[in-house]
Amino acid sequence: MIDYAEKRIFQSTPNVFICVSSFNPGARKLYERLGYSVIGELHDYIISGA
């Protein structure tokens, strides 16, 4: 599903980004395995202190 979404997005823009919560290490691991990297952090975005 991620591959499909990326292909659709890349048809109209050169970049894809995903917002993943710091308290979701499984998702972070998956996206890193797919070649994504951390480019920044939004502190206290969903949960205070996270």
Side-chain angles (χ1 to χ4, degrees):
M1 185 184 316
I2 294 171
D3 183 56
Y4 174 79
E6 289 175 336
K7 286 177 182 172
R8 291 290 306 262
I9 294 166
F10 286 137
Q11 289 176 1
S12 60
T13 186
N15 298 304
V16 174
F17 78 92
I18 299 171
C19 184
V20 180
S21 299
S22 61
F23 52 83
N24 192 346
R28 291 181 75 151
K29 193 173 191 177
L30 168 67
Y31 294 127
E32 288 173 0
R33 203 168 50 239
L34 293 173
Y36 287 83
S37 60
V38 175
I39 60 166
E41 294 186 21
L42 300 172
H43 299 278
D44 300 319
Y45 182 63
I46 297 175
I47 295 175
S48 182

